[in-house]
Every structure is written in structure tokens, then in C-alpha cells.
Amino acid sequence: MASRPGYDVLVVGGGATGAGLTRDLAMRGLRCLLVEQSDLAHGTTGHFHGLLHSGARYAVRDAEAADECIVENRIVRRIAAPHVEDTGGLFCWLEGDPDDYPGQLVAGCQKAGIEIEELSVAEARRREPLLTPRLGRAFAVPDATVEPWGLVADNAESAVDHGASIRRYTRLVGLGVEAGRVLWADLEDLGSGERERVEVNFLASAAGYWAGRVASLAGVKLQMAPGWGTMVVMNQRLSSSVVNRCRPPGDGDILVPVGPVSILGTTDTTMDTDNYEITPEEVRFIVTEGAAMVPAAAERRALRVFAGARPLYDPGHQHGASRTLSRSHMVLDHANDGVENFISIVGGKLTTYRLMAEHTADAVCAKLGVDARCRTAEEPLGEARKAPRHYSLGERLTAREQEAGGADADLVCECELVTRDMVREFIESFGTPHIDDMLRALRLGMGPCQGAFCTLRAAGILERMRPSGAAALEPIRLFLDERMKGDRPIMWGDQARQFRLNEIIYRDVLALDHAP
Amino acid sequence: MPPDRAPYDVVVVGLGLAGLVAGLGAASGGARTLLVGKGHGTLRFRSGTIDVLGYWNDRSLGSPAEGLPAVAAERPNHPYALAGEDLGSGLEAIRTTAGAAGLDLDGSLEANRMVATAAGTLRPTCLAPPTMRADWDGAHVLVVGLAGYRDFQADLVASVLPAAGAKLGLEVEARAATVDLPSLHRHHLSGLELARLFDQSAFRRDLLAALRGTLGGATVVALPAVVGLEHAPEAAADLARQLGVTVAELPTLPPSVPGLRLELAVTAALRRAGARLQVGTFVRAIPQGGRIGWVEIQSPGHPLRVPVGRMVLASGGLASGGLEVRLDGTLRETVAELPVWLPEAAQGALVGRSFLESGGHPVSLAGVQVDGAMRPLGREGSPLYENLFAAGGLLAGADRAVEKSADGICCATGWRAAQEAVA
Ligand SMILES: Cc1cc2nc3c(=O)[nH]c(=O)nc-3n(C[C@H](O)[C@H](O)[C@H](O)COP(=O)(O)OP(=O)(O)OC[C@H]3O[C@@H](n4cnc5c(N)ncnc54)[C@H](O)[C@@H]3O)c2cc1C
């Protein structure tokens, strides 16, 4: 039976919440081990809409959430500036939308201290030329966008700087509970398949929508109601600010500019599954709703779709649509369930990840009798001393060329500017990765050509570094199939055309269909 | 208002293989011919071989001739069922035109030959340039990658090729080498740039010097299909002679140099025959009564209207933009708004779950239905316009990627459409 020198706290889950929690605890002087079953930010954090809420979306119905959002919005802009783009947000009231909502929105925002300003239709259209002619009124709010991978990576790095350990691709698979205390945890290394038993002093679960499953390992019943939402990535930046529909929050009413693309969303389907299947109908619905605000959305190309699950907590007896469940977070002390040294954090939003971490760390410290103040709202992350930035098209290529000492970047994937060195390094540090892992980690194959070129190139580099002989085409096949999942629901327009072109390349010209 | 005198007897829309074959048919029949298209055709995406029929019902065919009767019997709306009789003439038109430019195409309908690809696979084709021919059985292959060229991964090819051979009962050995020359020392070398390098004897000399030491006992040197553009036959022959072994070109990612060679040979022949070509403009066909009255050619300023005597529509399938999927999952034909036939299986989901779904994706069979004279049919099954003929990737009833039949279909239907248009 293996054991490890004790950590003060074992944190489960490397999303924004878990990474933020580990940082917070480490800054308060606690020794932490964070385990994440996949890559950091692989869960809901990497599959969200991208919005750093101003709180305006919640101002009418959920005052508490609105208050939290605007406070955290300002803090995150300060501590994580490089990952925030100050896009601003617009609420657009269209002819036919409820007459009384604009008034309620303004009142709610003013109550929560969210700066809101009505713009003339002409001014709104000057800022966003693609807005619909049906635009009747427009309100500006301090919405922004936030890039989750960088945010989580910086939190993790800061945690490590403060003495924490982080293990990725490590899953918590078992807990030993005796006399009302968690004594040990079984961790499985998903690379090697090896299991290790570590002693547990205190367990904090930030496992997102998996929180119920983690709790059940300790025999604790925790009912989650994962609310799945689908988002559609459009191949163009359709607006420069976040565009919201000015009516009670519902499906398909937000359009978020993220780097070179725009993300339309979203939906809300309560379902306890790991494999939510996106349907073409829901995608068409989202695009049609998005086009109500920005008509060009219907003509532009959908690049891919993805879905994430809101980590919503069902305190019991509440059934039906999860949008009515609270989006505010809750810290659950499982002493109430008979396990003394175990806390879960559930619910919440990415925007409030820091606050969630603070509340959880406060609770952990209280239980451990540690008297230390939270400092995460004051201390900037990484190189966050820079000002918030605006996205510019040439940005990434310039960066790659600087890395190459000013020469042309040696690109494997032109769409997403992934270089040969990036692919090599990735393969070196990850053994024999799938090309799909490169997509997630490097964005390889994510762009408009849908992997037409980089798939063969990446497979070639992989084969050179990790020869597999006759099986060398397997990574290509797996990747093409994986892509297919995201492609099927958006088979129209240029996307369908690119799909067929890729089929001509890989099935017809390269004849993968009868390959060994 | 359209001018009343038609300057052209035949207007061909689309510059892919079907449009080119139709153009050859029309121009050689003495018709004043205009070819116009939005972009270059799919020749530039394909291998530069002429595939006729490699598989039918998932069965590999020793020759196209062996499979054609089954196609006609089993799939009445397959382009070969409708225009198969003109396949030989269409192929011959391309073969003679290419041959006149020094680009031979070897082979016949009586045999499929195997060409190796940049994925290390072996695929069947009917006509192929001699540079793609090699005796794979018993071959010791040296697969040569070129530093700086990303679209040919020699290690991958060398790993897969022996297994691909074994699947066909051929014994193939392969190893990889990457040649690094000063002239290759830049990133983003495209196939086209490489082909131009291969055209130069100085580059070939450097390459030969680098290769000699690595040859070992190789009987075949496999290179990406970029061995020359304007002087391709000469470049390949030079390399083979100096190395004393077979040099084989392996088709790879677009842009396809062998496809481009073929395109250049055919377009030059068309111009010589008096046809006019106009590339880069989107075209709409405007009906007038029971015929196509004129085509509107998009141009800066105002659209150009060209009256139409006869028209051959060869604007291609989904990949070329001749067909388009709408947001609601239905299909449209983009030039003349012709009705598009969709197989029943595609009405649930246009595509399957797996990329290489065996049997192909339902949407690939979609297209314009025609009669034996290549006249597009309306929903009721009768010809829509007396002067409109369709050919190539636009036509319903075939999954070209599955059957490995794209080029043959273009030749047969392009030729038939031209014959009808000049009749
Ligand atoms: C469709 C959609 C849109 C959204 N849009 C926004 C938005 O615009 N703005 C906003 O602020 N919020 C938004 N949210 C909410 C926000 O994304 C989430 O609240 C937030 O990302 C949750 O982060 P988390 O760290 O709590 O959970 P997660 O990111 O899911 O992290 C949990 C982690 O725990 C790991 N884990 C689970 N079980 C184990 C185990 N046994 N062992 C090891 N690791 C384990 C998982 O792999 C996962 O990485 C959206 C959510 C959805 C679904």
C-alpha cells in the first residue's frame, strides 16, 4: 500500500474553480495536491461561451448573481488582464420583444451597480454595423470575454509557485472513509494505468458536473443536474462586442466574439451524461436565433459545434429545466452528510470562479483551523500587469514569427498557426498522442480547412517520431472520425463543401478507405 | 436586355474535367465555344490520373470494363448507365490532347492499374501518366521526402506501403529518406514551387547527388508528384536515367501538380482550337421560355450578359460549388436553380457517423438528374430546357470517391453533352 507524505488538501478537478481554489489555498500557506483526470480546463471550463459577465444578464431575475458578477468582472479584468478582452456588451431590443424588459434591465443593473447606458440606434449600429434592421433600442454594459485555457494555466502556475503540486491525467477513482473521515484516496494515472493510494488530510472537490460522482466515492449523495448547452462557432467575428438579446434570458440569445471567430449560443438540456449528442435541429435553432440579432449569422459559415455541461446543483425536489436552478454557487460541507473532512463546491460561473474559490478556501481554512486571509483579488496572475487587450488579426502569426527569430514560421496548420516545433514538443511530452489531443492542446485542425492539410502532416511527424509501421494511418482515421462528430450537425454551406473536399482528399486521392 | 446575336454556339460553364472535355467536344465539332467558370476545376485537387471505376459494391475491380455492365444494370440513374457508351470517346479525347502536349496517359478500360499515394496506399486507376507506373511487386522502394515540403511525409509512406502491397498480394519493401538541399531551405515550399525547381536541370543535379548515396538496393525511387511542371516528362526521364531505377510520382495533397499539367495541356489545346476561356467569374443561367436565354457573368460594375445558343452545365458537385447545402439541409444547384435529386437515405442525415463510412455518405449521390441526352430533368421527369445539357460532378447517382470514378464520369458525360449540344 503506497502512501505519500501528507498534503494538507487534496483538490479534485482542474477547471477554473479547482485551479483557482488550489492557488488560493496555496497562497494561504496550505500544501495542496490538485488532480485532474484530463488536461487542465478540459471540462466545462474549456467548453463554455467565453463571456466574462457584467451581470446584466442576471440583473432582472437574480440580483445576487448580478452583484457577484460585476464585482468579479472588475477583479478578473485586473488580475488576469492578458486573458480578458474588453469587448463591451450590448443588449439589443428588437421590435416585438417584451416592452417592459428594457426598463427592468436598466433598473436591475443600476441596483447592482452595473454601468448601463442606452445608445441611440444609430450609435449602436455604428459600433456594430451587422445588427438587424429590427433593432429598436440598445444598451451598453461592461461585458467582456475571457480565454479559459490561459486563465487556468496561470492559476495553476501561480499555485505551483506557492508550493502546490498538480497532476494531470490523474483520476480520483476511490476514497477510503472510516469513522466519518476520508483517510485515503486512490489515484489512477491514465497514461500508465497505475494506481496509487495517497493519504488524505482534507478533500475539496471542484469536479464540476462530475461532483456527484466524486461525492459518491465517499458514500455521500450529492444530486447534480448537469445543464448541457450547445454553442456554434462561426468562421468570422460578426461583432466586436458581446451581443445579447434584450428580453428574459433564453436559448440562443448571445453572440460572443472570441479571437477570429464568433460563438453563438446556447441551449439548456438537463441530462446526466458524458456524451451529449448535438442535433442538427438545435444547431439550426441557435443559428436562426443568432441571425435575428445579426442576420449575417445565417449566411456565414459554421465552423464547428461543441457542448458543455453547467455544473448545476439540485438541492432536491426541483425538477425540469435547469435554467431555473440557481447559477450561484454553493459550498457544501459534507460533515452534514457524515463525512467530516470533505467539502464540495458546486454551481457557479466561470466569471465568479475566483469568488467560488475564495468561499471554498474560507470554508476549508475554517475547518482546518487555519487563520489566513484570501489575497487572490489583489495579486495579479502571471504577467497580468499588462493592460486588457484587443484582438488583432495578425497577432498570432507575429508571435510565431518572433519565436522563429523573425523568419517564416514553419507551419503545420496554417489556419491555426501551429508550427512543426509545437507539434514535436507536444509529441515529446505526451508520448504517443492522438491528433485530436493536438487539436485540443494546440488548436491544430480547428480552422476553416477542417484538417484537410495538417492531418496528413501531423500523422507524418508522429510516424517519424513514434514509428508504428502499418498502423501509421490509424491516427488519421481516428482524427477524421472525431472531427465528424462536430461536423455532422453543421453540414451546410461552406462547411459541407469543405467536408466533401476533405473526403475527396482522404477517401478518393489518398484512398484511406481501402488502406491496410 | 440581352443582345440578340449569340457570339457563341456553345457556352460551357465549369472548368473542371467535364467542362474541359465538353469544350474539346464542342470546339473540335466546329462550334464557337466559350468556357467560363468561377474557379479552376477539381483537377487541381485530384491525382492527375483518369479514374474510371475502381470499386463497385465495395468490390475491387480488375478493370473498369468488368464493372460497367453491373453499374448500368443496378443503378439506372448512374451517369455510366446514361452515357457509358461515350466513355471511350471521352477518354480518347483527353488522351490525345494530353499526348499532343507530351503528357502520355497509359492504360485502357481493360485493366485497372495501381498507383501509390502520399498516404502509402495503393489505389486503382484506369489511365495514368507513365511517371506513376512502377512494378510494385518485389520492389524495394526508397521513399524520398524533401525538406521544407510538408505535404509528402516519407516516413508515413514507407511505413504503410508494404502493408498496402501485402493486402493486394504484392511484396513491397520500403524505407524513407529525406533530402535536404540548400534550394529547399525555406518553409512553406508548395508543390508548385517544387515542380518549377524540378523543371531546372541544376536542381535535379543537386538532387541526384544527394540521392546516389542513399539508393542502396532500391529498385524504385518514390517522390511526391511534383516532378516538373512544364518539362515534366523530361524531368522524370532524366532522373530515372541517371539513377538507373524506376522513378515513381505519388499523388499528394492539393494543389495537384499532375492535375495542373493536364489542365494546362487541355486549356492550351482549347485555345488553339479557337475556344475562349474565362476564369474567375461566377455565372448564373437565366431561363427564357423553355430554354436558357443567356448567362449572366458576374463582373465588377454590372453583370455581363452573354446570349446562349446551347449550354453545357459542368459546374461540379458539392466540393466545387455546383451544388450547395442550405441551412435547412436541402440542396440547391447554384447556376440554373435546377431541381436536385436527393436519395431517400439522405433525408434523415446527409452524412454518416464515420468519415470513411463504408458505402459512402448519402449526400454524395445527390445531384441533377438527366436523360440520355444529358438534359436536366424537372420533378415530373421531363427535360426542363431544350438547350441545356449537364455533365460531370453535378450529376446524381454516383459516389465518385467511393467508386473511384470521378474522371471517367466527367469524360463520358462531358463528351455526350458536347455531342448533343453541337448536334
Ligand atoms: C454552455 C455553457 C455556457 C457557459 N457560458 C458561460 C459564460 O459565458 N460565462 C461564464 O462565466 N460561465 C459560463 N458557463 C459556466 C462555466 O463554464 C462553468 O461554471 C465553469 O467553467 C465551471 O468550472 P469548474 O472548474 O467548476 O468545472 P469544470 O471546468 O467542469 O472542471 C471540473 C474538472 O474536474 C475534473 N474531474 C471530474 N471528476 C474527476 C475525478 N474523479 N478525478 C479527477 N478529475 C476529475 C474534470 O475533468 C474537470 O476538468 C457556461 C457553461 C455552459 C455549460
Side-chain angles (χ1 to χ4, degrees):
Chain A
M1 174 168 135
S3 179
R4 286 210 147 207
Y7 293 94
D8 296 322
V9 184
L10 173 64
V11 179
V12 185
T17 313
L21 173 60
T22 309
R23 174 184 193 232
D24 194 331
L25 291 168
M27 283 169 71
R28 298 193 206 202
L30 290 166
R31 290 166 306 156
C32 300
L33 170 64
L34 168 68
V35 294
E36 164 56 51
Q37 63 187 356
S38 182
D39 204 349
L40 295 177
H42 171 76
T44 308
T45 298
H47 293 86
F48 87 129
H49 209 150
L51 186 54
L52 184 67
H53 284 288
S54 63
R57 185 172 172 80
Y58 306 104
V60 175
R61 231 183 27 202
D62 189 343
E64 190 190 345
D67 286 347
E68 286 174 359
C69 280
I70 186 61
V71 173
E72 289 301 312
N73 174 299
R74 292 181 188 130
I75 293 174
V76 174
R77 282 169 188 261
R78 201 167 59 233
I79 65 169
H83 310 301
V84 175
E85 188 187 349
D86 184 14
T87 57
L90 282 183
F91 275 75
C92 298
W93 183 90
L94 313 187
E95 283 156 25
D97 285 345
D99 282 329
D100 52 351
Y101 198 76
Q104 294 172 15
L105 177 71
V106 170
C109 283
Q110 282 166 349
K111 192 154 161 285
I114 302 165
E115 302 89 339
I116 183 164
E117 179 197 356
E118 175 150 21
L119 305 177
S120 69
V121 169
E123 170 61 14
R125 196 156 285 134
R126 191 191 62 75
R127 293 189 190 181
E128 299 298 348
L130 297 183
L131 283 175
T132 172
R134 283 177 57 208
L135 182 70
R137 302 179 72 179
F139 301 86
V141 297
D143 284 340
T145 64
V146 54
E147 193 274 289
W149 295 282
L151 179 73
V152 170
D154 273 3
N155 270 282
E157 195 182 302
S158 167
V160 170
D161 286 346
H162 287 91
S165 304
I166 294 180
R167 289 164 68 181
R168 296 178 310 160
Y169 295 98
T170 302
R171 180 182 285 152
L172 173 74
V173 291
L175 290 170
V177 180
E178 265 170 50
R181 286 186 66 82
V182 179
L183 296 185
W184 46 259
D186 279 340
L187 306 179
E188 183 175 320
D189 180 321
L190 297 183
S192 64
E194 274 166 33
R195 286 197 178 189
E196 181 185 357
R197 184 160 288 187
V198 300
E199 266 172 41
V200 172
N201 178 52
F202 198 94
L203 176 67
S205 163
Y209 79 88
W210 291 267
R213 290 178 223 171
V214 169
S216 71
L217 297 176
V220 168
K221 188 167 158 43
L222 189 169
Q223 184 66 47
M224 295 298 286
W228 283 91
T230 293
M231 285 146 289
V232 184
V233 183
M234 306 300 293
N235 188 24
Q236 242 140 356
R237 215 170 141 105
L238 297 169
S239 61
S240 49
S241 39
V242 175
V243 177
N244 304 269
R245 187 82 174 260
C246 187
R247 66 176 186 200
D251 285 351
D253 55 2
I254 313 183
L255 196 150
V256 184
V258 177
V261 301
S262 286
I263 305 183
L264 306 184
T266 171
T267 51
D268 197 342
T269 311
T270 305
M271 199 182 277
D272 201 357
T273 171
D274 278 346
N275 291 308
Y276 179 75
E277 188 170 341
I278 299 167
T279 66
E281 290 71 31
E282 99 187 288
V283 171
R284 271 179 214 132
F285 172 81
I286 291 171
V287 172
T288 311
E289 283 296 292
M293 299 188 286
V294 175
E299 282 124 48
R300 300 296 158 80
R301 170 168 174 194
L303 259 192
R304 62 182 176 276
V305 293
F306 64 99
R310 299 175 183 86
L312 301 183
Y313 167 58
D314 183 355
H317 326 300
Q318 267 175 299
H319 294 287
S322 68
R323 222 183 270 285
T324 59
L325 296 177
S326 171
R327 262 172 220 213
S328 287
H329 56 269
M330 286 179 113
V331 180
L332 304 174
D333 181 348
H334 297 300
N336 303 322
D337 308 299
V339 183
E340 196 51 45
N341 57 342
F342 177 24
I343 276 181
S344 294
I345 167 80
V346 293
K349 287 174 269 302
L350 191 117
T351 304
T352 56
Y353 89 95
R354 194 212 58 84
L355 183 67
M356 294 161 68
E358 174 175 346
H359 287 166
T360 313
D362 284 349
V364 173
C365 287
K367 299 216 44 149
L368 292 178
V370 173
D371 184 20
R373 202 177 61 83
C374 174
R375 291 184 289 125
T376 55
E378 292 107 56
E379 272 193 38
L381 286 156
E383 0 160 36
R385 278 153 257 272
K386 288 187 210 146
R389 53 185 187 86
H390 276 286
Y391 180 77
S392 88
L393 277 176
E395 206 167 83
R396 284 186 297 160
L397 185 58
T398 313
R400 297 285 184 269
E401 290 184 342
Q402 270 165 8
E403 285 162 23
D408 281 355
D410 185 9
L411 298 177
V412 174
C413 166
E414 284 102 332
C415 302
E416 294 290 346
L417 305 176
V418 180
T419 64
R420 185 191 300 265
D421 285 342
M422 290 163 76
V423 172
R424 281 206 196 115
E425 263 168 45
F426 188 74
I427 296 173
E428 252 151 36
S429 44
F430 285 88
T432 309
H434 294 307
I435 301 178
D436 196 45
D437 296 332
M438 301 183 199
L439 179 146
R440 272 193 300 272
L442 308 175
R443 301 183 62 87
L444 177 113
M446 259 210 196
C449 92
Q450 298 289 290
F453 295 87
C454 62
T455 308
L456 181 73
R457 295 171 185 165
I461 298 174
L462 197 57
E463 181 62 16
R464 188 178 178 84
M465 294 176 67
R466 304 273 187 271
S468 65
L473 296 176
E474 204 47 30
I476 300 185
R477 272 191 288 249
L478 284 172
F479 184 60
L480 293 171
D481 274 350
E482 193 53 41
R483 294 243 43 151
M484 198 70 200
K485 285 188 201 153
D487 265 357
R488 281 186 95 224
I490 45 172
M491 268 305 156
W492 75 82
D494 285 343
Q495 191 71 5
R497 181 174 183 174
Q498 184 71 52
F499 167 77
R500 180 63 178 166
L501 194 58
N502 291 7
E503 198 192 5
I504 289 177
I505 295 173
Y506 286 95
R507 190 200 285 264
D508 203 343
V509 174
L510 298 178
L512 252 61
D513 53 348
H514 295 279
Chain B
M1 275 307 290
D4 45 19
R5 209 188 69 85
Y8 301 105
D9 303 314
V10 177
V11 175
V12 179
V13 176
L15 298 163
L17 185 56
L20 297 178
V21 170
L24 286 174
S28 69
R32 291 168 306 163
T33 308
L34 168 71
L35 290 98
V36 54
K38 189 169 58 150
H40 302 281
T42 36
L43 271 180
R44 295 188 181 197
F45 295 105
R46 301 180 43 78
S47 315
T49 57
I50 302 292
D51 303 343
V52 174
L53 191 63
Y55 298 90
W56 185 249
N57 288 335
D58 220 27
R59 201 168 64 82
S60 134
L61 299 172
S63 76
E66 174 192 333
L68 288 168
V71 176
E74 291 166 32
R75 183 111 40 87
N77 74 341
H78 193 288
Y80 284 146
L82 298 165
E85 279 157 28
D86 280 354
L87 178 58
S89 314
L91 292 178
E92 225 24 63
I94 278 296
R95 194 211 291 266
T96 10
T97 311
L103 298 174
D104 291 337
L105 286 169
D106 297 347
S108 82
L109 286 173
E110 303 309 319
N112 274 323
R113 61 177 58 236
M114 288 292 168
V115 296
T117 77
T121 54
L122 289 163
R123 70 190 292 284
T125 189
C126 180
L127 307 184
T131 51
M132 292 185 193
R133 184 179 38 191
D135 199 355
W136 298 112
D137 202 13
H140 293 256
V141 185
L142 177 66
V143 185
V144 178
L146 303 161
Y149 182 51
R150 300 159 297 173
D151 295 340
F152 186 76
Q153 299 284 336
D155 300 271
L156 182 82
V157 177
S159 290
V160 178
L161 195 53
K167 227 185 137 184
L168 299 168
L170 310 174
E171 212 169 293
V172 189
E173 278 177 28
R175 73 195 154 82
T178 298
V179 172
D180 204 348
L181 297 174
S183 42
L184 297 172
H185 258 254
R186 38 168 313 219
H187 301 313
H188 301 177
L189 210 50
S190 77
L192 211 56
E193 290 165 301
L194 263 177
R196 296 219 160 89
L197 281 178
F198 270 97
D199 274 343
Q200 302 166 13
S201 56
F203 173 78
R204 296 199 299 269
R205 216 170 22 244
D206 292 348
L207 180 72
L208 284 163
L211 274 181
R212 279 210 184 87
T214 54
L215 212 50
T219 58
V220 175
V221 166
L223 285 163
V226 297
V227 183
L229 182 62
E230 274 155 50
H231 309 288
E234 184 190 321
D238 181 32
L239 289 179
R241 193 173 51 242
Q242 306 264 3
L243 288 169
V245 298
T246 306
V247 171
E249 286 193 294
L250 275 49
T252 182
L253 299 179
S256 158
V257 172
L260 187 59
R261 288 175 201 147
L262 203 54
E263 186 187 305
L264 293 176
V266 179
T267 49
L270 279 167
R271 288 200 177 91
R272 279 196 307 273
R276 230 195 111 196
L277 281 91
Q278 192 173 332
V279 188
T281 40
F282 184 75
V283 180
R284 273 190 329 137
I286 312 293
Q288 199 181 31
R291 51 199 320 277
I292 298 296
W294 66 89
V295 289
E296 239 179 46
I297 304 179
Q298 225 175 47
S299 69
H302 62 94
L304 250 146
R305 288 173 170 183
V306 178
V308 164
R310 306 283 176 85
M311 173 170 168
V312 177
L313 184 61
S315 44
L318 261 187
S320 312
L323 300 174
E324 193 176 274
V325 182
R326 296 191 187 95
L327 180 57
D328 67 4
T330 60
L331 272 82
R332 68 180 274 262
E333 185 283 307
T334 56
V335 176
E337 299 291 346
L338 299 171
V340 176
W341 177 84
L342 198 62
E344 229 159 81
Q347 268 139 35
L350 293 175
V351 295
R353 278 173 197 282
S354 157
F355 186 88
L356 295 171
E357 193 89 357
S358 85
H361 299 286
V363 70
S364 306
L365 291 171
V368 169
Q369 300 258 48
V370 291
D371 65 8
M374 303 289 106
R375 284 176 304 185
L377 301 176
R379 303 249 174 246
E380 307 74 33
S382 47
L384 279 171
Y385 305 106
E386 60 185 49
N387 63 340
L388 178 65
F389 308 89
L394 181 69
L395 302 182
D399 188 334
R400 295 140 177 96
V402 169
E403 300 161 7
K404 311 282 182 277
S405 62
D407 313 289
I409 290 176
C410 288
C411 290
T413 59
W415 192 258
R416 169 72 57 89
Q419 299 315 305
E420 299 291 339
V422 295

